[in-house]
Amino acid sequence: MERARRRPVTPGAAALTERFIDDVLLLVSELVTNAVMYAGTEIDVTCRLEPAGAPGVKSDDGGNGADGGAVHPDDGPAVMGVVVEVADRHPSRGVHGGVDARSGEPGYGLQLVSAVADSWGVTYRQSEKTVWFRLVAREGEPEIPGPPPSARPAGAGRRRQAPPGHPAALSRAHAAEWADRGGPSFLAETSELLAGQLDQEMVTALAAQLLVPRLADWCAIWLNTEGTGMKLSRVWHVDERRILPLRADLERDTPSVGVSTAGTPWPWPESAGARHTGGSALAFPLVARDTEQGLLLLGRAGQLQMTDTVVRMVEDVARRVAQAVFTARQYTRQTTISQALQRRQLPASLASIEGVDTAIVYEPHGEGQTVGGDFYDIFPMGEHRWCFLLGDVQGKDPEAMSVTGLARHLVRLLAREGHGVESVLDRLNTAMAEDSAEAVELSGEQASSRFLSLLYGELEVEPGVAGAHCTVATAGHPPPLHLFGDGRVAPASDPQMLLGIDEGTEFQASSFDLAPGETLLCVTDGVTERRCGNWQLDDNDGLAEILRDGMGLGAKALAEHVRRAAHDFGTGPVEDDLSVLVLQAVRGGNGRRG
């Protein structure tokens, strides 16, 4: 948040020129941007006019300002200063532009590259967590080149003209000096901003705003694309009115081949401005891991003549941008592959069951995950018969996800071959036990066994008869809960051994009728083992109570009721995959999915 406090203009002050106002706007913009970027807290911005040359007028920066609190003699011409303070209200960090004297680490809060801070006369006040500077306007100061105010479009923004001392306004000699003094800090800032960026568009956006106006008046970045040549990713200009026309010009002249030499001259687009003075542009290749990622183009009004020092610094920036783009693309590629594989672990759709409403709530644990260790399915098995399952694989790694897909497809295959509930569990248990034994034989005792908990059942609907006949069994899984019409809740199956532990285990199923209005609730241990301190959600039949509280709700509303209850039970985030499957018998008509 920014707050501005203004004071009246002092009578008789020197006229404030366009150039002077541009300098103030640029400095405030840079300071606030750095403050918000590094501190992320409330920011106070104070701007005021102050006679800088009047007798007896003293700087109010406590003796730590740019003028050291000295009294300015009246040297004749009317002099007016603009004092700007940007204050960070963060309570815990020291604020300065260099290294923290206590920790030896770079300062946080309000920061600028040290060389830029020196050239602008910015002072860091540690005691008050404020950066301070004064710009002085004198009568007769020349206006910046450009069209007169009357020629500007109404409401048009002002060009962010760099003040003297800013690297974008430096001469050839001073540019080299700035590169020597401020280059390392600038490169460190570039690395810090680009590090961890996993979106290539964000990388180019940050890079463009780092380079303009520090090293150029405008910047363009092309990125290579597979099979379609180069694509213009970002265009930035100190005069924001020129960004769209400049982008249009550059898109008409897309590079057909890459540039191999840093600082290659590039044709000046008319929309970049500088009609009378002209301008020059230089191209730099973006290369990472010996692979061309794109092209960086810098342009400046006048002759853009770079010393070897400045060229090397721009090359260093280009390498950092290229590496960040490469990393972002690798992440995007891996994420796309992962998501494609994850989508194959779950069914694309769930079958509708005649006379039964169904609903599923599925929340995989882990950032960026679309599939976790839990899995589910509902599929038809001929006329009037459907199968349903809800399972949980031990672990959350990619190997666990591979077991998820294997188990779901193997259950479908066994069911379609005519195996009943008990037979499906027996054969799936044998397959998993054999797989674990083979893994131990190949990799030794360090090989990790994969265990699987599963709830599997069948629903059979008789034409013309409301409700359904259900057969269900569980293997190491929380038993399904049967909610009767009178509000009673009872487990619908007996607990049994996990799949994959003992090859000789035999599994037993339970059968019952699901009458109209009755509900079967199936969940994974992410629900039953949700913790609040030393308590779990299902302690003292907590899940049965939640189900009873949801009596009268439809299938979809009941599934959401259970999900919300699981989230509300604990104060911290859910630490496991969370899955809820609801089967609810209805009177007549076709079932619905939720």
Side-chain angles (χ1 to χ4, degrees):
M1 179 183 295
E2 300 176 13
R3 298 200 297 264
R5 298 187 289 275
R6 299 180 180 179
R7 294 184 180 179
V9 177
T10 304
L16 301 182
T17 65
E18 286 285 326
R19 173 60 178 271
F20 180 80
I21 294 172
D22 284 338
D23 291 351
V24 173
L25 290 176
L26 177 63
L27 289 172
V28 171
S29 174
E30 290 285 345
L31 290 171
V32 170
T33 299
N34 278 269
V36 173
M37 182 179 300
Y38 287 98
T41 59
E42 183 176 286
I43 302 300
D44 279 0
V45 180
T46 303
C47 303
R48 64 181 180 274
L49 290 174
E50 178 180 284
V57 176
K58 195 171 184 178
S59 168
D60 67 344
D61 67 348
N64 294 324
D67 57 4
V71 177
H72 301 283
D74 186 359
D75 55 2
V79 177
M80 180 58 60
V82 173
V83 176
V84 180
E85 291 184 352
V86 183
D88 171 21
R89 299 309 177 193
H90 195 286
S92 61
R93 291 278 192 178
V95 179
H96 45 82
V99 175
D100 193 304
R102 293 168 295 180
S103 66
E105 297 178 353
Y108 290 85
L110 304 170
Q111 298 189 51
L112 282 178
V113 177
S114 58
V116 177
D118 292 343
S119 63
W120 280 347
V122 176
T123 300
Y124 293 82
R125 262 200 259 172
Q126 287 182 253
S127 59
E128 300 183 20
K129 300 180 73 83
T130 302
V131 289
W132 176 97
F133 67 87
R134 168 186 283 125
L135 293 178
V136 177
R138 298 180 182 273
E139 287 186 357
E141 181 184 17
E143 289 276 0
I144 60 172
S150 59
R152 292 177 178 159
R158 181 178 285 109
R159 172 186 171 93
R160 295 179 64 195
Q161 182 74 21
H166 189 284
L170 295 178
S171 67
R172 178 184 174 93
H174 288 166
E177 180 183 355
W178 179 84
D180 287 333
R181 294 174 55 208
S185 297
F186 177 67
L187 292 175
E189 181 184 5
T190 301
S191 297
E192 182 179 357
L193 288 176
L194 298 182
Q197 296 296 335
L198 300 177
D199 181 346
Q200 67 178 21
E201 297 300 324
M202 180 61 71
V203 170
T204 58
L206 288 173
Q209 295 185 50
L210 277 168
L211 293 165
V212 176
R214 285 172 171 164
L215 291 174
D217 292 334
W218 59 270
C219 168
I221 300 177
W222 279 274
L223 295 180
N224 286 355
T225 58
E226 294 183 4
T228 58
M230 285 194 175
K231 175 185 176 182
L232 186 57
S233 173
R234 189 66 51 179
V235 175
W236 197 247
H237 198 292
V238 291
D239 185 349
E240 295 183 8
R241 296 168 299 177
R242 297 188 179 276
I243 292 177
L244 292 179
L246 178 58
R247 170 178 280 275
D249 277 357
L250 293 174
E251 285 178 336
R252 285 194 292 268
D253 190 23
T254 300
S256 57
V257 294
V259 173
S260 58
T261 305
T264 300
W266 196 267
W268 179 264
E270 291 185 5
S271 57
R275 174 188 294 181
H276 302 295
T277 61
S280 57
L282 300 178
F284 295 81
L286 299 177
V287 179
R289 310 285 182 90
D290 296 326
T291 304
E292 185 178 10
Q293 305 297 321
L295 180 69
L296 169 66
L297 186 59
L298 298 179
R300 184 190 295 175
Q303 293 302 310
L304 183 55
Q305 296 178 350
M306 292 187 175
T307 65
D308 291 343
T309 302
V310 176
V311 168
R312 284 196 300 270
M313 188 180 70
V314 177
E315 285 183 296
D316 285 339
V317 172
R319 277 192 290 269
R320 284 161 171 79
V321 173
Q323 183 59 51
V325 169
F326 179 84
T327 301
R329 287 178 162 179
Q330 288 291 98
Y331 174 81
T332 300
R333 186 177 296 109
Q334 292 173 4
T335 301
T336 301
I337 294 172
S338 176
Q339 290 175 347
L341 292 175
Q342 288 179 38
R343 284 193 295 269
R344 300 296 297 173
Q345 309 305 309
L346 297 177
S349 62
L350 297 178
S352 295
I353 302 177
E354 181 181 344
V356 177
D357 279 354
T358 63
I360 183 74
V361 168
Y362 180 71
E363 290 185 354
H365 173 66
E367 184 178 357
Q369 294 267 29
T370 58
V371 176
D374 291 0
F375 60 100
Y376 61 87
D377 203 356
I378 299 176
F379 56 93
M381 281 298 301
E383 292 187 11
H384 313 303
R385 184 165 162 252
W386 290 263
C387 299
F388 62 94
L389 63 91
L390 186 62
D392 184 5
V393 178
Q394 174 201 19
K396 302 290 185 294
D397 54 13
E399 188 175 345
M401 286 194 295
S402 68
V403 176
T404 296
L406 174 64
R408 187 175 72 85
H409 290 292
L410 184 55
V411 168
R412 279 199 173 209
L413 178 62
L414 292 171
R416 286 170 178 166
E417 287 183 349
H419 294 280
V421 173
E422 295 173 349
S423 179
V424 166
L425 293 183
D426 288 341
R427 281 161 173 75
L428 184 58
N429 178 62
T430 299
M432 292 200 63
E434 290 176 349
D435 183 70
S436 295
E438 291 175 0
V440 170
E441 183 178 349
L442 291 174
S443 304
E445 294 297 329
Q446 68 271 19
S448 58
S449 300
R450 289 293 175 184
F451 306 133
L452 174 69
S453 74
L454 184 66
L455 181 157
Y456 176 64
E458 295 179 356
L459 282 175
E460 189 171 357
V461 177
E462 186 176 344
V465 178
H469 184 72
C470 182
T471 302
V472 66
T474 57
H477 199 90
L481 297 182
H482 186 176
L483 174 62
F484 293 87
D486 59 4
R488 291 181 297 115
V489 176
S493 68
D494 297 324
Q496 299 180 89
M497 184 74 70
L498 283 163
L499 298 174
I501 293 181
D502 182 3
E503 186 176 347
T505 301
E506 294 184 359
F507 294 89
Q508 303 295 322
S510 303
S511 296
F512 56 93
D513 289 328
L514 195 65
E518 295 183 351
T519 299
L520 189 67
L521 173 65
C522 312
V523 302
T524 56
D525 58 10
V527 175
T528 58
E529 296 179 4
R530 171 76 164 133
R531 301 193 70 87
C532 181
N534 294 326
W535 291 89
Q536 292 186 348
L537 183 144
D538 200 32
D539 288 345
N540 299 324
D541 295 327
L543 182 59
E545 189 64 29
I546 292 171
L547 176 57
R548 192 177 294 109
D549 290 342
M551 188 172 182
L553 297 175
K556 186 174 182 179
L558 181 58
E560 175 60 24
H561 168 71
V562 175
R563 185 197 72 84
R564 175 50 54 192
H567 278 271
D568 292 345
F569 182 78
T571 57
V574 176
E575 298 294 337
D576 196 359
D577 300 332
L578 189 153
S579 301
V580 180
L581 174 63
V582 174
L583 305 172
Q584 190 174 77
V586 297
R587 295 185 181 276
N590 292 326
R592 297 187 300 272
R593 291 172 298 173

